[in-house]
C-alpha cells in the first residue's frame, strides 16, 4: 500500500497536524510506503544552504511524525524549492535496492532550479519503480513549455550501470504542481461549475486532459477521475478561491499520474495476456484533495495505491541476529550470513538502531563487518560490539546491515531488548540520594524561618 502526497506549500512552515493528509486514522491496513512531493519549499539562500548541511524543517517534520510508527526515511532529493521524500516500513528494507536520485533544472533555460523535476528510483522486490516530483511553468499560455519541460525531465539518465531510463521502469509515478489550467471557459462559468459540483463540465478543457489526447508520450499515463475541487488558487487559511486583484481562475494544477510499463507494451502489441504474465499491477484506491490545509494557495492532493507484486526477490541478501542476551554491562556479539552472490565490501557496517529510527544515519553505534569480525565459517560470521558503545539505559533496538556497494540497508534483525547497565544506574541513584542528603548551609535559615 502506497500513499503519495503532492503539495505546493508556498514557502510556508509545516502545519501543526498531518493526520488526515497521511490518513493515519484510516481503519484499513497501514501504508507500506509514503512518497511525499513538495513544491515551493522555502529556498531563500540562507535556508537552502543550511538545509544542505542539515535536514530541512519539512523532512524533520515528516520524520518526527512517521518514525514512531515504524517508517524510516529511505531516500530524499532536494533541488531549491522541490523536495521528494520516500518513507518505508522496516520490514521492506532488505528488499529495496539500487536506490538512486536525480534532479533536472528547467528554469532559466536549464540553469535555474526553481522549476524542473526531482526523482527517486529503486528496485522493490525486484521490480523497478520510479517517482518523479515536478514543478512545471505557470500561466495559461505556457502549455507547450510545460510539455517540453516534462519531456526533458523524462529524458534524464541516472548515473550508474544497468539502471533503466525513466520510461523503462516497471512503474513510473509522475506528480507535482504541473500547472496545467482550464482553457477557454471564463472564470464565472468555472466557479459556477465548481459550486454545483459539476466538475465533469471542466474536464474536457483541462489542458493536461487535452494534451493527453494529442501527445503520444502522455497517452500511456493514467490518472484517476478529478472528482474534487480544483486545488488552485485559494486565499490563505480558507476554502475561498482567489479574491485578490488578479482573481486567478481555479485549476487542477496539482496532479498524480502513473504509468505501468508492461501494460504499455501489451497494449501496443494488442495481444491478450493472462494475469499470471502480469508480475506487477497498480490499483488506485482513492484520489482526493484536502481542503482543511490552508498554509498555501494550493490544497494538497493524495493518491492511495495498491501495488500488487509478484516478488522476484524473496530472500534478503543478509540475515543477522543478536547473539544471546544483550546487556550494556558487557561486549556483545552479532551473527550474520550472506547469500553467495552478495557483493560485500570492506566499508560495510552493522548499525545498532532504536526501533523508531528516522533514517540510515540515525544509528546509536556501529561495527565494521571486517574490522570487528571475530569468527567466520562457511555458514555465518560473528562481529563484536563494545559495551562502551551501548546505551546504559538499554531499551528496544534493531540491527541493520548497510551495504556500501548497494548504498542501502540489505538486512535487518527482529526487534530485541538490551538490558540496562544496572551497576551504573545504581551508582547514579546513590549519588543522587547523597546529594539530596547533603543540605546546603543557606537552606538552614529557611527552615528556621
Amino acid at each position: 500500500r502506497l500513499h503519495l502526497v503532492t503539495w505546493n506549500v508556498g514557502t510556508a512552515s509545516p502545519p501543526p497536524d498531518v493526520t488526515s493528509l497521511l490518513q493515519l486514522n484510516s481503519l484499513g491496513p497501514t501504508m507500506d510506503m509514503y512518497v511525499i512531493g513538495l513544491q515551493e519549499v522555502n529556498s531563500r539562500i540562507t535556508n537552502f544552504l543550511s538545509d544542505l548541511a542539515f535536514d530541512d524543517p519539512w523532512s524533520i517534520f515528516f520524520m518526527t511524525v512517521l518514525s514512531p510508527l515504524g517508517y524510516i526515511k529511505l531516500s530524499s532529493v532536494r533541488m531549491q524549492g522541490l523536495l521528494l521524500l520516500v518513507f518505508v516500513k522496516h520490514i521492506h528494507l532488505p528488499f529495496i535496492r539500487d536506490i538512486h536520485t536525480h534532479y533536472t533544472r528547467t528554469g532559466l533555460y536549464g540553469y535555474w532550479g526553481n522549476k524542473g523535476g526531482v526523482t527517486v528510483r529503486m528496485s522493490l522486490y525486484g521490480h523497478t519503480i520510479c517517482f518523479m516530483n515536478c514543478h512545471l511553468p505557470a500561466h495559461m499560455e505556457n502549455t507547450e513549455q510545460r510539455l517540453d519541460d516534462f519531456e526533458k525531465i523524462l529524458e534524464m539518465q541516472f548515473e550508474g550501470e544497468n539502471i533503466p531510463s525513466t520510461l523503462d521502469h516497471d512503474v513510473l509515478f509522475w506528480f507535482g504542481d504541473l500547472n496545467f489550467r482550464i482553457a477557454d471557459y471564463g472564470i464565472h462559468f468555472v466557479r459556477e461549475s465548481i459550486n454545483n459540483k459539476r466538475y465533469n463540465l471542466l474536464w474536457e478543457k483541462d489542458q493536461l486532459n487535452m494534451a493527453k489526447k494529442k501527445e503520444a508520450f502522455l497517452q500511456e499515463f493514467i490518472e484517476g477521475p478529478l472528482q474534487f475541487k480544483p486545488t488552485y488558487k485559494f486565499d490563505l487559511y480558507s476554502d475561498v478561491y482567489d479574491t485578490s486583484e488578479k482573481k486567478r481562475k481555479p485549476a487542477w494544477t496539482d496532479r498524480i499520474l502513473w504509468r505501468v510499463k508492461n501494460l504499455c507494451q501489451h497494449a501496443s502489441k494488442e495481444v491478450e495476456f493472462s494475469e499470471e504474465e502480469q508480475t506487477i499491477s497498480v490499483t488506485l484506491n482513492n484520489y482526493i484533495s484536502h481542503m482543511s490545509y490552508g498554509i498555501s494557495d494550493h490544497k494538497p492532493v493524495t493518491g492511495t495505491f495498491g501495488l500488487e507484486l509478484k516478488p522476484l526477490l524473496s530472500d534478503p541478501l543478509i540475515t543477522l541476529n543478536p547473539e544471546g542476551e544483550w546487556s550494556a554491562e558487557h561486549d556483545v556479539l552479532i551473527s550474520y550470513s550472506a547469500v553467495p552472490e552478495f557483493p560485500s565490501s570492506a566499508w560495510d557496517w552493522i548499525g545498532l538502531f532504536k526501533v523508531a529510527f528516522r533514517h540510515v544515519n540515525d544509528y546509536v553505534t556501529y561495527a565494521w563487518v571486517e574490522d570487528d569480525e571475530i569468527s567466520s565459517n562457511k555458514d555465518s560470521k560473528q562481529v563484536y560490539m563494545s559495551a562502551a558503545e551501548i546505551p546504559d539505559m538499554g531499551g528496544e533496538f534493531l540491527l541493520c546491515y548497510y551495504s556500501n556497494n548497494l548504498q542501502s540497508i540489505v538486512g535487518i534483525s527482529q526487534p530485541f531488548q538490551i538490558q540496562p547497565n544496572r551497576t551504573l544506574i545504581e551508582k547514579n541513584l546513590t549519588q543522587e540520594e547523597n546529594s539530596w542528603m547533603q543540605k546546603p548551609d543557606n537552606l538552614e535559615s529557611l527552615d528556621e524561618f
Side-chain angles (χ1 to χ4, degrees), residues 41-57 77-83 103 105 112-114 118:
V41 172
N42 193 334
S43 59
R44 287 179 300 190
I45 193 68
T46 51
N47 296 80
F48 186 60
L49 290 175
S50 66
D51 291 348
L52 289 177
F54 309 100
D55 279 312
D56 65 276
V77 56
R78 171 91 186 264
M79 181 183 72
Q80 286 179 227
L82 274 168
L83 176 64
Y103 60 85
R105 301 184 186 98
W112 193 238
N114 65 321
V118 288

Side-chain angles (χ1 to χ4, degrees), residues 337-401:
S337 59
V339 297
E341 67 271 18
F342 176 65
S344 62
S345 160
W347 298 104
D348 290 356
W349 51 272
I350 295 173
L352 178 68
F353 294 83
K354 291 181 179 177
V355 166
F357 70 108
R358 297 179 170 208
H359 50 77
V360 70
N361 293 326
D362 197 19
Y363 50 79
V364 176
T365 185
Y366 64 90
W368 295 106
V369 293
E370 286 196 9
D371 290 354
D372 298 318
E373 183 181 300
I374 60 168
S375 72
S376 175
N377 60 49
K378 65 182 180 67
D379 295 321
S380 68
K381 297 182 179 182
Q382 283 186 324
V383 173
Y384 90 96
M385 197 171 274
S386 169
E389 306 293 333
I390 296 174
D392 290 322
M393 298 306 293
E396 192 174 23
F397 291 85
L398 291 164
L399 292 167
C400 294
Y401 188 111

Side-chain angles (χ1 to χ4, degrees), residues 5 14 16 59 69 90 98 123 163 225 263 275 309 314 329 336 343 357 360 396 407 409 414 417:
V5 178
S59 296
L69 304 177
H90 297 160
D98 302 324
S123 165
I163 299 175
L263 289 180
E275 289 188 8
L309 309 171
S314 55
E329 296 177 348
Y336 77 91
F357 70 108
V360 70
E396 192 174 23
Q407 294 286 294
I409 291 172
Q414 292 293 319
Q417 288 289 329

